[in-house]
Amino acid sequence: MEVKNGSVEERIINASFHILEKEGFSGATTKKIAEKAGVSEVTLFRKFESKEKLISIAKEHYSTDFIEKLTEIFQYTPEISVEEYLTQCFNKLVNLTDNELTILKVGMEEVRDIPTDKKVFLRISETIIDELTKFFSLKIEQKELREINPSILALNMFSIMFESIILWKVYGKQPKYNIDRYTEDFLDIILNGIKSDNK
Amino acid sequence: MEVKNGSVEERIINASFHILEKEGFSGATTKKIAEKAGVSEVTLFRKFESKEKLISIAKEHYSTDFIEKLTEIFQYTPEISVEEYLTQCFNKLVNLTDNELTILKVGMEEVRDIPTDKKVFLRISETIIDELTKFFSLKIEQKELREINPSILALNMFSIMFESIILWKVYGKQPKYNIDRYTEDFLDIILNGIKSDNK
DNA sequence: TATGAAAGTAAGTACTTACTTACATTATGG
DNA sequence: CCATAATGTAAGTAAGTACTTACTTTCATA
């Protein structure tokens, strides 16, 4: 489906998404969506054959955008050090606006009804884990990292970085430390391990 | 609210919860709940003043149970090694039945409307992180671990262990490795770090 | 200026939902 | 065995919801 900039379709899609975030699927009524988009409900149904399809188009639209943004964040050049790369990634993640993170919130709710390969959260996790796996493989090749399983490391790093963000931005947990302190400490843990030296 | 074993109230609460898992809040109609509980809808409303309160009682009930179970899993004796402890915890987590994990699925959906201090996922995370923080503090005191920030380490370990479980059991991602392999590898990473030695 | 597409208005359909009322039935314990 | 409490049945209420139909208005453009 091609959606032109500034078109009625686009306004409806945007409205759907913002109402979806605030009200959830069943709370996002076609009436509210039409109102927010500034069109009549009839127009909405002339453009989209059902509420279900509209919502799924809106999700698709926003999750594609978000995944693109994540892909940018996790891009790397071969020279960058692991520490620098991970610091940068995490800082950029934390600086995403609430608006940009909306899709994450919406994705966390998809615990049923949606086919596995369409679940936003799974698509996000796969994208990031793939990118991280490639990066860590390179760094193992370059001998900056020792011979560990790169895809398990990638899953761990994904977990650490995203779980903080999810707890904080999706579920509203107040963070205990400032970002710089937190980043420094978790990188120290991952880079150097936790065992004491005198053993 | 005291709910006696085998009482009508209990049957209604159980039914609510199982329908809630399969259908979500708006799909869990009082009609379905009553039917599943084997009572009439009228009885349901005589026992609980609204659907909303019923669901919140059911969630409270099941999340308290689950948190108790988690507390058991994360208990420790002062002698146990970090490696052994974390291995045991993760194995026990993975062996929780789908039924026991239902509340986690239900909790992941609570991205709005619910006051922060009642969100199931936040209560779970706080319980585990507290317990892990105490454990790691002890192990730092005992010099098994070096001087790192125990609560950041706890958050990291919580993230690694739970994110795998959530991806797998809540969102349906197929795991790439078997548990033993995975456990061994992520513990190696955390215990020994990832930097190559020759630097 | 005439035409056709896109939008709106008003009304309605068919269904579902949480919750209620009034009354009948069953079960239980003193 | 009888009074009382717990449950069921049947019906209904009031509101909402996705979606439709029929007709009118707006507006760009050829």
Side-chain angles (χ1 to χ4, degrees):
Chain A
M1 176 173 199
E2 6 73 66
V3 176
K4 280 172 210 148
N5 246 2
S7 66
V8 181
E9 284 92 335
E10 200 194 32
R11 269 160 51 212
I12 296 175
I13 289 176
N14 291 343
S16 303
F17 194 69
H18 289 112
I19 300 222
L20 182 65
E21 183 216 351
K22 290 205 176 79
E23 319 267 356
F25 184 85
S26 58
T29 65
T30 50
K31 194 176 173 182
K32 284 186 206 159
I33 294 170
E35 199 176 355
K36 175 125 194 168
V39 300
S40 74
E41 224 182 324
V42 179
T43 298
L44 186 153
F45 280 106
R46 278 198 275 243
K47 301 287 185 180
F48 302 91
E49 74 175 86
S50 71
K51 169 182 162 179
E52 224 177 16
K53 296 216 171 171
L54 166 58
I55 298 279
S56 106
I57 287 168
K59 275 189 192 174
E60 180 64 30
H61 193 86
Y62 277 81
S63 60
T64 303
D65 265 19
F66 186 67
I67 287 176
E68 253 171 53
K69 212 159 285 164
L70 287 179
T71 311
E72 273 171 42
I73 290 181
F74 281 86
Q75 259 170 3
Y76 57 86
T77 54
E79 306 84 39
I80 195 168
S81 77
V82 173
E83 186 164 0
E84 211 181 324
Y85 172 67
L86 293 176
T87 307
Q88 277 182 22
C89 291
F90 191 64
N91 279 324
K92 286 180 196 162
L93 279 182
V94 166
N95 286 323
L96 287 170
T97 63
D98 285 359
N99 206 41
E100 289 167 320
L101 286 168
T102 298
I103 183 68
L104 194 57
K105 192 168 167 180
V106 170
M108 298 311 292
E109 287 190 288
E110 300 178 325
V111 300
R112 84 190 100 247
D113 289 342
I114 290 145
T116 306
D117 61 306
K118 285 217 155 191
K119 285 186 183 167
V120 171
F121 188 54
L122 288 186
R123 286 176 56 207
I124 291 172
S125 72
E126 266 154 39
T127 309
I128 307 306
I129 291 170
D130 281 359
E131 199 67 12
L132 285 173
T133 304
K134 278 191 290 173
F135 177 75
F136 290 134
S137 300
L138 176 69
K139 290 296 151 178
I140 292 169
E141 237 173 73
Q142 293 178 349
K143 313 263 187 209
E144 187 184 339
L145 299 184
R146 63 187 178 91
E147 294 278 340
I148 36 164
N149 186 319
S151 74
I152 288 184
L153 175 58
L155 172 53
N156 292 347
M157 281 311 308
F158 167 80
S159 301
I160 290 177
M161 293 197 278
F162 272 75
E163 195 68 53
S164 325
I165 306 244
I166 288 167
L167 281 171
W168 177 17
K169 305 270 191 162
V170 176
Y171 296 99
K173 181 191 176 89
Q174 285 306 312
K176 277 171 104 174
Y177 304 99
N178 76 39
I179 308 301
D180 293 339
R181 170 76 191 285
Y182 178 72
T183 313
E184 207 177 299
D185 280 14
F186 87 70
L187 281 178
D188 175 40
I189 288 171
I190 278 282
L191 290 170
N192 304 308
I194 60 177
K195 267 193 197 153
S196 68
D197 305 322
N198 61 334
K199 59 139 289 181
Chain B
M1 177 177 198
E2 6 74 68
V3 176
K4 280 170 210 149
N5 247 1
S7 65
V8 180
E9 284 91 335
E10 201 195 31
R11 268 161 50 212
I12 296 176
I13 289 175
N14 292 342
S16 304
F17 194 69
H18 288 113
I19 299 225
L20 183 65
E21 184 218 351
K22 291 206 176 77
E23 318 268 354
F25 184 85
S26 57
T29 66
T30 50
K31 193 176 173 182
K32 284 186 205 159
I33 294 170
E35 197 177 354
K36 175 124 195 168
V39 301
S40 74
E41 221 180 326
V42 180
T43 298
L44 185 154
F45 280 105
R46 279 198 274 243
K47 301 286 184 181
F48 302 91
E49 74 174 85
S50 72
K51 170 183 160 178
E52 222 175 21
K53 296 215 171 173
L54 166 58
I55 298 280
S56 106
I57 288 168
K59 275 188 191 173
E60 181 63 31
H61 194 86
Y62 276 81
S63 60
T64 304
D65 265 20
F66 185 67
I67 287 176
E68 254 171 52
K69 212 158 284 163
L70 287 179
T71 310
E72 272 171 43
I73 290 181
F74 281 86
Q75 259 170 3
Y76 57 85
T77 54
E79 307 84 36
I80 195 168
S81 78
V82 173
E83 186 165 1
E84 210 180 324
Y85 172 67
L86 293 175
T87 307
Q88 276 182 23
C89 289
F90 190 65
N91 279 324
K92 285 181 194 162
L93 279 182
V94 167
N95 286 322
L96 286 170
T97 62
D98 285 357
N99 206 41
E100 289 167 319
L101 286 169
T102 299
I103 183 68
L104 195 56
K105 193 168 167 180
V106 170
M108 298 310 292
E109 286 189 290
E110 300 178 327
V111 300
R112 83 190 102 247
D113 289 341
I114 289 145
T116 306
D117 61 306
K118 285 218 154 188
K119 285 185 182 166
V120 171
F121 188 55
L122 288 185
R123 287 176 55 208
I124 291 171
S125 72
E126 266 154 37
T127 310
I128 306 306
I129 291 172
D130 282 0
E131 199 67 12
L132 284 174
T133 303
K134 279 192 289 172
F135 176 75
F136 291 133
S137 300
L138 176 69
K139 290 295 151 180
I140 291 168
E141 235 173 74
Q142 293 178 348
K143 313 262 188 210
E144 188 184 339
L145 298 184
R146 64 188 179 89
E147 293 279 340
I148 35 165
N149 186 320
S151 74
I152 289 183
L153 174 58
L155 172 54
N156 291 347
M157 282 312 307
F158 168 80
S159 301
I160 291 176
M161 293 197 278
F162 272 75
E163 196 67 54
S164 325
I165 305 241
I166 288 167
L167 281 170
W168 178 16
K169 304 270 192 165
V170 177
Y171 296 98
K173 181 192 175 88
Q174 285 306 313
K176 277 173 103 173
Y177 304 98
N178 75 39
I179 309 301
D180 292 339
R181 168 78 191 283
Y182 179 71
T183 314
E184 207 177 295
D185 280 14
F186 87 71
L187 282 177
D188 175 38
I189 288 170
I190 278 282
L191 290 171
N192 304 309
I194 61 178
K195 267 195 197 151
S196 67
D197 305 323
N198 59 335
K199 60 136 286 179

